Structure formats: C-alpha cells, structure tokens
Amino acid sequence: MLHVHILKAKDPAEVGKLAADQFEALINTKPACVLGLATGSSPLPLYRELIAREKAGKIDFSRVRSANLDEYKGLAPDHPQSYRYFMQENLFNHISIKPENTIVPDGLAADVDAMCAAYERQIEEWGGVDLQLLGIGHDGHIGFNEPDSQFSTMTHEMPLTQMTREANKRFFNSIDEVPTAAYTMGIGTVMAARKVVMIVTGRDKAEILKKSFFGPVTPEVPASILQFHPDVTVICDEAACELL
Ligand code: F6R
C-alpha cells in the first residue's frame, strides 16, 4: 500500500508555496519543531517563501531547530560551495532561527566516526526530525545516499558518483574542484523522520520520480525506500510529473 501523497503544482514557484504551507502548519502547531533541511536548486523557491512568510508575521523560526542532510567532505563552513554556506545565504541569515539551533555535518571533521555519531545524537536529543525535506538526484539519491547494494543506516561518509559530481559541477569552476566524497544522513536517519516532504521539479527528474515511487523498492534507487515511509508528500511541478 503506497502512502505517498503527490501534490502537483504548475511551476517551481507554486511548488515552493505548497511546501511552505507544510512548514507553516508544523511550525505553528509545534514552535520548537525539528526540521531536516536540504540544499540544491529544488528547495530555493521554498526558502524564499519561508523568508517572506516570517517577514509577513505568519511563521516564527525563533524556537525551531534544524539539521541538514549533508555536507561535502573537505569544505570549510565559509567555503562558498559548502552546504553550511548555502544554508546561511539562502535561509538562516534571513530568518530568526538561532545559530546554535542549526546543525550541518562538519566537512572538516578529523574524526569522521565521532562527528557522525555526535550528529545522530544531537538529532535524538532534540527528539527526532519532525519534517524532513528532500530533493532527489537523477540516480535516485536522497541526501548523498547514492545507489548501492544495500540501504545505509545512519550518518556516514559517502563517495560521490561521477553522475552526481557532474550534476553538481555547475556550482564549481570545474569538475576537478567538486569534492569526491560527502557526509550524509543515512537512509535510516531519513526514514526515522515523522514526516517527509520531497520537492521534485523539472522534466529531467520525471523518469527517476516515476521509478522511485512506482517501481520496485531497491537500494539501486535509494529514494524508492520512501514507499515504506508512513507519511510522505511529494510536491512536483508539471514537468516533473509528466510520466506519472
Ligand atoms: C542536497 C541533497 C541532494 C539534492 C539532490 C537534488 O542537500 O541532499 O540529495 O537534494 O541532489 O539536487 P537539486 O535540487 O539541485 O536538483
């Protein structure tokens, strides 16, 4: 039995508004909720909408906590291509969330196992993720959980596939500058969230969207595991749901 709700929107801007509705509803009923956040192009209209809604007095981020999905290995927080920098620029610097209430895996961790364990512990101490935001990679990755022979469990280091490095090189000067590994929440971390909201936009995501939710559940398509999550909402634009 598929528990996935699919919300279809006209374009990425409308996707952002529908996703923001989910965040607004949660934050207004649970002001100290825990958000799982994502980077990339897909969440940008959502983040712009959330900033506008706080400015309009509709949401208050001052008690919200957030844990990001992933970070590139080897990039410092002030590196312009790091995910910490992305979050500061595109969301955190413009809302009232407290800096100490935002966590992103440490790209410079000397002891990777300790950093990953501490990350999981912090989420647990906060009471777990209430709403996990996801994008999806062309190969079905969520966070940086790439296609594999088994589903990962907790936060861990992950080598990046050539496809993902190619897809992300648009943010760097050249492919050589794209890190070859990342730290990411595991599939287990994502599945533990009480609610999942996935944003999918663009015709280039139509095949993988169909495969993930209407194909077999397999670690070769990491997002397909979401078919087993009890509360998933996929918000997609017309282009992305062309094959559904
Ligand atoms: C980002 C992340 C990735 C992206 C995915 C899609 O934190 O975890 O899984 O969600 O690569 O990226 P965009 O939205 O840029 O197409």
Side-chain angles (χ1 to χ4, degrees):
M1 175 62 189
L2 197 65
H3 299 280
V4 181
H5 305 279
I6 298 181
L7 299 183
K8 295 183 186 178
K10 192 165 77 274
D11 52 25
E14 196 182 322
V15 167
K17 290 195 172 108
L18 291 178
D21 291 345
Q22 308 268 335
F23 281 74
E24 185 179 327
L26 171 67
I27 296 167
N28 286 337
T29 48
K30 189 174 179 184
C33 62
V34 179
L35 304 177
L37 296 178
T39 60
S41 306
S42 312
L44 288 173
L46 162 67
Y47 292 160
R48 283 194 284 272
E49 187 66 24
L50 290 176
I51 294 165
R53 288 191 194 189
E54 185 170 69
K55 287 202 194 327
K58 292 184 186 154
I59 325 185
D60 174 9
F61 280 94
S62 62
R63 294 175 60 201
V64 170
R65 282 83 57 87
S66 77
N68 261 76
L69 276 170
D70 43 17
E71 179 60 281
Y72 285 117
K73 177 178 180 173
L75 297 196
D78 60 357
H79 187 291
Q81 266 70 46
S82 77
Y83 284 175
R84 163 57 81 177
Y85 190 90
F86 176 101
M87 290 310 297
Q88 293 302 135
E89 289 288 304
N90 292 294
L91 186 65
F92 298 153
N93 289 346
H94 312 287
I95 59 174
S96 67
I97 198 163
K98 295 191 172 70
E100 64 271 26
N101 284 345
T102 68
I103 57 171
V104 179
D106 177 5
L108 298 182
D111 183 340
V112 174
D113 290 344
M115 183 277 288
C116 292
Y119 204 71
E120 292 286 334
R121 212 160 40 241
Q122 179 64 76
I123 293 170
E124 209 178 295
E125 277 168 20
W126 280 345
V129 172
D130 292 296
L131 192 170
Q132 177 65 55
L133 176 68
L134 297 175
I136 187 171
H138 295 104
D139 56 3
H141 70 235
I142 50 178
F144 270 133
N145 294 282
E146 300 279 23
D148 206 342
S149 55
Q150 54 187 25
F151 289 112
S152 65
T153 53
M154 299 307 168
T155 302
H156 63 287
E157 179 172 341
M158 190 76 204
L160 299 182
T161 61
Q162 196 56 23
M163 187 194 252
T164 297
R165 293 182 67 235
E166 285 286 343
N168 289 5
K169 78 170 186 219
R170 64 192 195 275
F171 301 112
F172 294 83
N173 294 322
S174 74
I175 182 89
D176 302 328
E177 285 182 18
V178 184
T180 53
Y183 303 124
T184 179
M185 283 186 188
I187 294 289
T189 325
V190 170
M191 288 297 280
R194 286 182 269 278
K195 181 178 182 65
V196 173
V197 171
M198 175 180 269
I199 289 183
V200 193
T201 53
R203 179 62 184 81
D204 56 312
K205 297 282 178 70
E207 278 84 11
I208 194 62
L209 176 60
K210 183 170 182 205
K211 218 168 151 184
S212 299
F213 292 99
F214 298 95
V217 174
T218 163
E220 292 297 330
V221 182
S224 65
I225 192 74
L226 295 170
Q227 293 182 37
F228 290 153
H229 192 284
D231 187 354
V232 179
T233 302
V234 177
I235 309 179
C236 43
D237 68 354
E238 270 169 14
C241 48
E242 205 170 292
L243 302 178
L244 299 187

